[in-house]
Amino acid sequence: MLDIGKLKYRLILLDENGVQCDLKDVVQDLGYEENENELASRITFHLADVDGALELCRNGRMVFLLAGFDGNDEEICRGTLKTWRHTYGLTARTADCTVYDTLYQLDKSQDNRYISSGRTTAQVFAEIAADWGIEMEYHGPDVSHGAMPMKNKTPAKMFLELLDDARKKGAGEYILRAVQGKIVVSPVFSNKTVYLFGRDNTVRVTYQENISDLVTRVKVLGQSKKDNAAPVEAVLDGRTEFGILQKIYQRNSDETIEAARQAAAELLKEEGEPKEEMTLELPDVPYVRKGDAIYCDRLEKADGYYRVLSVSHDCGARTMTLKVKKAEQIQALQEGNQQTGAYGAGSEVTFSGGMHYVSSDAGAKGYAVKGKGRAKITKTAEGKAHPYHLIHCDRSSNVYGWVDAGTFG
């Protein structure tokens, strides 16, 4: 158990000559956050004018935030000083500073890129990162994409659209973050330590539910010919008792109708239920980041595993505020492992060849798979004729569908 009373933060500024300046004696109101709709992490702090501290405020200087218990400091966030504001008064002179990590440039820049059909997620990510001169550690999806023209978009938006397209194709969810100055792409819930919060260490729980952005119907449109309207190829209904709230899914020319239906079903699954919004105010754990899993032990409506959507750390008060949602994926993984033995959703296996099918049902249309190789189980269907949904991890095979038990190991 972490002793929050022993938690200490340090803020280090690095000047142009490589000299480190420890700001522990002059920094106030220190905080850092990862917001739901922002890619970059942000550090904010307030400097008092002690021994010329305000002269340290120069845009472009590197700032490092460290934290730890019992003196074992770890780097929590690093970034570049982007804005500072001096305030002069009769009794005091102060500065307010804001620092963003390396992903900030991807949020604020624009570029054009045409992703041709058949390119994989990993290939495009590597190219974009290389163009911007940022080192990348990639543990993300490697699915093939259809043609994706991206005009006047930020590199951050390109990354997120690629990950979203991969998710709709069944590859799972991934998080993009900066770690020690490089881009890291990894699955959500990849934190090795899952912190538990119970009634005795929770400050406040806020819960609300809304249907303002609900989607109850997804219409799949095919390719139009010349000036004709695009044909309707499928209509998927969800919670229509709330009314018809419709979205369009446009099938690419190189995308099968079945793949488009699957993507539309994923969209309906993602946006077709009332949104539960929960905010937790908790004792500060500096290592908790957006995309992590935490566990709540009977905190009113919060019970079980939750995904962190945003996090704000108040380093002075030693508290953090999390926006979270229920982590259905972890529950499904646990249930899948219980139902199907060692092979549950999320397991990586070696496909030995054979057929893949458009659904798990008996009599579903099947196609011969080209090649053998590594694949990931994305879904399981206990008791069905083809109980495992596989997606290839590389180009050794093209398996992408429901398969029989015994076709992998």
Side-chain angles (χ1 to χ4, degrees), residues 275-338:
K275 298 296 183 185
E276 297 179 347
E277 296 183 11
M278 188 172 296
T279 302
L280 309 175
E281 189 175 342
L282 304 166
D284 192 15
V285 180
Y287 319 116
V288 173
R289 299 200 62 175
K290 183 170 68 173
D292 285 355
I294 63 167
Y295 189 86
C296 298
D297 184 17
R298 292 166 293 177
L299 300 179
E300 301 298 336
K301 285 183 172 292
D303 189 21
Y305 287 99
Y306 284 80
R307 174 180 174 177
V308 178
L309 300 177
S310 68
V311 54
S312 177
H313 299 264
D314 186 331
C315 305
R318 301 297 191 269
T319 61
M320 63 180 180
T321 302
L322 310 181
K323 182 179 178 182
V324 300
K325 73 172 182 178
K326 193 74 173 178
E328 303 291 353
Q329 298 95 320
I330 295 181
Q331 185 66 28
L333 176 59
Q334 291 179 330
E335 292 175 355
N337 286 334
Q338 293 170 0

Side-chain angles (χ1 to χ4, degrees), residues 213-352:
D213 296 317
L214 193 69
V215 175
T216 65
R217 174 174 291 171
V218 179
K219 184 179 290 186
V220 178
L221 301 183
Q223 297 295 305
S224 60
K225 295 181 179 180
K226 295 184 179 180
D227 296 328
N228 295 331
V232 177
E233 296 180 333
V235 176
L236 284 72
D237 278 346
R239 301 285 299 274
T240 54
E241 68 267 25
F242 293 113
I244 304 300
L245 300 161
Q246 180 174 286
K247 273 196 173 181
I248 297 295
Y249 183 86
Q250 182 71 57
R251 181 174 66 86
N252 293 327
S253 59
D254 55 346
E255 187 178 23
T256 66
I257 294 178
E258 182 56 38
R261 283 182 61 91
Q262 182 178 348
E266 287 293 331
L267 177 61
L268 197 59
K269 179 180 178 182
E270 179 72 18
E271 302 182 29
E273 293 293 333
K275 298 296 183 185
E276 297 179 347
E277 296 183 11
M278 188 172 296
T279 302
L280 309 175
E281 189 175 342
L282 304 166
D284 192 15
V285 180
Y287 319 116
V288 173
R289 299 200 62 175
K290 183 170 68 173
D292 285 355
I294 63 167
Y295 189 86
C296 298
D297 184 17
R298 292 166 293 177
L299 300 179
E300 301 298 336
K301 285 183 172 292
D303 189 21
Y305 287 99
Y306 284 80
R307 174 180 174 177
V308 178
L309 300 177
S310 68
V311 54
S312 177
H313 299 264
D314 186 331
C315 305
R318 301 297 191 269
T319 61
M320 63 180 180
T321 302
L322 310 181
K323 182 179 178 182
V324 300
K325 73 172 182 178
K326 193 74 173 178
E328 303 291 353
Q329 298 95 320
I330 295 181
Q331 185 66 28
L333 176 59
Q334 291 179 330
E335 292 175 355
N337 286 334
Q338 293 170 0
Q339 295 172 355
T340 58
Y343 300 116
S347 299
E348 193 167 308
V349 298
T350 300
F351 182 68
S352 56

Side-chain angles (χ1 to χ4, degrees), residues 50-198:
V50 179
D51 296 329
L54 299 194
E55 299 304 317
L56 297 173
C57 298
R58 295 184 186 176
N59 284 331
R61 284 184 166 178
M62 290 294 298
V63 175
F64 299 80
L65 179 65
L66 299 91
F69 300 83
D70 296 320
N72 298 316
D73 289 346
E74 295 182 28
E75 181 180 316
I76 302 299
C77 183
R78 72 170 67 171
T80 305
L81 186 59
K82 296 295 185 184
T83 64
W84 56 268
R85 181 182 64 191
H86 283 178
T87 301
Y88 303 97
L90 295 176
T91 59
R93 295 155 57 93
T94 59
D96 296 292
C97 303
T98 304
V99 174
Y100 287 95
D101 69 27
T102 191
L103 293 177
Y104 183 82
Q105 59 185 311
L106 304 185
D107 260 332
K108 295 299 181 180
S109 303
Q110 285 186 315
D111 204 357
N112 291 329
R113 184 174 295 269
Y114 180 80
I115 300 172
S116 57
S117 178
R119 304 299 305 284
T120 68
T121 322
Q123 290 173 335
V124 181
F125 261 72
E127 290 176 2
I128 296 175
D131 287 348
W132 291 91
I134 302 177
E135 183 183 355
M136 183 173 66
E137 182 179 316
Y138 191 81
H139 306 289
D142 197 23
V143 302
S144 296
H145 298 273
M148 299 177 69
M150 296 184 174
K151 185 176 181 181
N152 299 336
K153 290 188 176 181
T154 68
K157 183 68 172 176
M158 294 179 187
F159 279 148
L160 296 177
E161 286 189 7
L162 284 163
L163 291 179
D164 186 58
D165 189 52
R167 177 189 62 79
K168 290 175 180 176
K169 289 179 166 61
E173 290 189 79
Y174 292 80
I175 192 76
L176 179 66
R177 58 173 58 149
V179 179
Q180 297 184 353
K182 62 184 177 182
I183 298 174
V184 176
V185 183
S186 55
V188 295
F189 313 131
S190 57
N191 49 307
K192 293 181 180 179
T193 301
V194 176
Y195 293 97
L196 182 149
F197 299 94

Side-chain angles (χ1 to χ4, degrees), residues 352-377:
S352 56
M355 303 286 288
H356 55 182
Y357 300 85
V358 298
S359 80
S360 60
D361 298 326
K365 189 172 183 179
Y367 302 88
V369 175
K370 297 178 181 178
K372 308 173 183 179
R374 299 298 290 172
K376 179 179 284 188
I377 299 174

